[in-house]
Amino acid sequence: MSSAAQRRLMRDLKNLTQSPPAGITGSPKEDDMMFWNAIIFGPDDTPWEGGTFKLTMQFTDEYPNKPPLVKFVTKIFHPNVYTDGSICLDILQKQWSPIYDVTAILTSIQSLLTDPNPASPANSEAARLFSSNKREYDRKVREVVEESWEDDAD
């Protein structure tokens, strides 16, 4: 017996696998449709290029009426990501709409990498550097990109 949320997640999975956006992948755990692992690759021609960033997505039975809890597993240095990996993104909070699916969520997070909102900081140091010392910010981003390769070896 599957819930409406699980049926919707099956449709999201089908959409994601049939027409995957560049640099994004995701799928549910083998034994749990409500818990997904996802990977976002850093966009080309940005300081994030070459990075492999792992995320988890935890859905409730209220999906798609309520957003999933999405967190970075890979360490990341970004104005809108808390140290625990939680993401400060409007569509995952007050701007959520049931029209968003897994693909839309992951594409939004991927674009947030290169287009942060320093006015709503989750990481004040990253926000400060992004606004006042872009060169140092980019250097720190490249550090986490390189660390993401080491995470891949695990």
Side-chain angles (χ1 to χ4, degrees):
M1 176 101 157
S2 66
S3 68
Q6 289 172 322
R7 287 192 300 277
R8 168 63 187 267
L9 286 167
M10 287 297 291
R11 197 170 78 216
D12 287 5
L13 177 62
K14 185 178 176 189
N15 291 342
L16 184 62
T17 49
Q18 286 182 340
S19 52
I24 292 171
T25 176
S27 62
K29 281 177 68 174
E30 207 170 289
D31 59 346
D32 187 355
M33 178 55 82
M34 307 302 276
F35 189 90
W36 287 44
N37 289 305
I39 295 176
I40 293 177
F41 299 100
D44 291 347
D45 302 320
T46 74
W48 300 96
E49 183 174 9
T52 305
F53 304 100
K54 297 175 184 162
L55 301 98
T56 56
M57 304 177 82
Q58 179 71 58
F59 298 88
T60 67
D61 283 332
E62 295 180 79
Y63 180 77
N65 296 316
K66 291 253 166 53
L69 175 64
V70 185
K71 284 179 134 180
F72 277 95
V73 177
T74 308
K75 181 182 162 204
I76 192 158
F77 184 78
H78 189 279
N80 306 113
V81 180
Y82 291 95
T83 52
D84 72 352
S86 300
I87 303 162
C88 182
L89 179 62
D90 54 359
I91 71 156
L92 293 175
Q93 289 142 8
K94 291 181 177 70
Q95 299 296 315
W96 174 254
S97 165
I99 62 164
Y100 295 125
D101 63 0
V102 170
T103 301
I105 294 165
L106 293 174
T107 354
S108 296
I109 294 169
Q110 186 184 45
S111 55
L112 181 69
L113 286 180
T114 54
D115 191 19
N117 178 5
S120 175
N123 178 328
S124 52
E125 182 194 1
R128 183 181 57 75
L129 285 176
F130 180 81
S131 300
S132 66
N133 188 344
K134 191 79 169 59
R135 206 159 116 196
E136 180 62 14
Y137 172 80
D138 288 351
R139 188 187 69 72
K140 286 195 170 265
V141 166
R142 283 191 296 276
E143 276 179 18
V144 296
V145 164
E146 289 179 22
E147 286 174 25
S148 79
W149 305 334
E150 293 161 18
D151 286 350
D152 273 357
D154 294 346

